[in-house]
Amino acid sequence: TSTYVTNQSNIMFPETSEDWGTVEGFGIFKEAEGTELPIIWGKITGLDGESDVVVSQYEVPIIRVGQFKVSMV
């Protein structure tokens, strides 16, 4: 069986002041600041299963409830 956790609220980023380009991965850290490596990281795929998630200037990136799933394999 596949076990995963998902976000229970929207994850909102600030409006971008420049193009972020293609976002390829994510990291979850123990602390908001510092030089620690992420405790969990992975590749990002869009809702359509494609790996190209492009964020342009002046966009407000939002990950809606249930759209961010993390599983341990």
Side-chain angles (χ1 to χ4, degrees):
T1 59
S2 176
T3 303
Y4 62 87
V5 295
T6 187
N7 59 312
Q8 299 298 307
S9 61
N10 288 338
I11 301 170
M12 299 183 69
F13 295 86
E15 181 177 310
T16 60
S17 59
E18 58 187 46
D19 287 341
W20 286 5
T22 301
V23 180
E24 297 180 0
F26 72 93
I28 297 176
F29 297 81
K30 289 173 68 173
E31 299 178 16
E33 297 181 21
T35 58
E36 297 287 326
L37 293 174
I39 57 173
I40 297 173
W41 64 92
K43 187 162 181 55
I44 290 181
T45 56
L47 292 176
D48 56 5
E50 296 294 322
S51 60
D52 292 338
V53 177
V54 178
V55 179
S56 300
Q57 186 176 20
Y58 306 122
E59 290 185 341
V60 178
I62 300 172
I63 301 172
R64 303 223 182 264
V65 172
Q67 290 183 340
F68 184 72
K69 295 179 181 178
V70 176
S71 63
M72 304 293 275
V73 291

